[in-house]
Amino acid sequence: MTGRDRRATSPRLRSPGPPGDVPAPHTEKELDALVGLLGRSLAEGREGAGAVAVGHGRDASSRAAAEAFVTAWQAYGGDVLSRTDWPEDAASWLRPASRLTARSPDAWVLAGAPLGVAQLVRRLAHSTDWGPARTFGFASLDPPRLLELAGADVVDGLRGVHSDGTVWVVRHDGLMRLPGTPTPAVRNQAGCGWEW
């Protein structure tokens, strides 16, 4: 399929079903694990914490998760290039997709309900240079539901954390749950602060 053919069809889900529940609030374990996971991933093979773009749904839990992440990431020493929100239902997700990729971040962090995130990542994959392997999410993404809605090809490599701090990664053949990362409190007790 050529770029022109690819753009001729919309990535919007035709009949996605009901919007679903509003995401639960994030947990401190989740936030700590997400910052640690992203920090380790960006530090592999390069210097610095990295510059990220943060995207979130418009519900209160997603906004709060994004705000908490921005604060934690900046305390970690990272840069936040942009912060973008999106509705759960829209005619197009091109505007938020374009905003998230405009400044060429090192990574993307997402918080939101699976339906809105699925619509967004389908648009990102269709219309931008976004990569799921450089994308990290909160538990609110509900990875099994996101995988079902967005499709394995769209989200293969996307990583995130569950509310208990354990790490997940989406693969073509399903979801892998990985051992959790030590929280900052555990790392601080070991005398290593935010270092990995």
Side-chain angles (χ1 to χ4, degrees), residues 7-26:
R7 295 182 196 282
T9 60
S10 172
R12 190 173 193 277
L13 294 169
R14 297 278 184 240
S15 179
D21 296 330
V22 173
H26 72 281

Side-chain angles (χ1 to χ4, degrees), residues 62-126:
S62 299
R63 283 193 315 268
E67 186 61 39
F69 175 80
V70 166
T71 300
W73 188 244
Q74 290 171 333
Y76 180 82
D79 293 322
V80 177
L81 298 177
S82 66
R83 184 169 164 188
T84 302
D85 66 4
W86 60 80
E88 282 304 295
D89 189 29
S92 171
W93 276 263
L94 184 57
R95 183 171 288 145
S98 297
R99 287 179 180 157
L100 278 171
T101 57
R103 297 191 58 199
S104 302
D106 297 319
W108 294 272
V109 175
L110 304 177
L115 179 56
V117 174
Q119 296 282 26
L120 176 76
V121 297
R122 288 172 61 87
R123 175 52 76 182
L124 284 164
H126 187 267

Side-chain angles (χ1 to χ4, degrees), residues 141-165:
L141 273 60
D142 186 4
R145 179 77 173 133
L146 179 62
L147 181 60
E148 175 188 339
L149 288 168
D153 288 342
V154 173
V155 291
D156 183 45
L158 192 144
R159 291 170 278 178
V161 294
H162 292 288
S163 60
D164 65 0

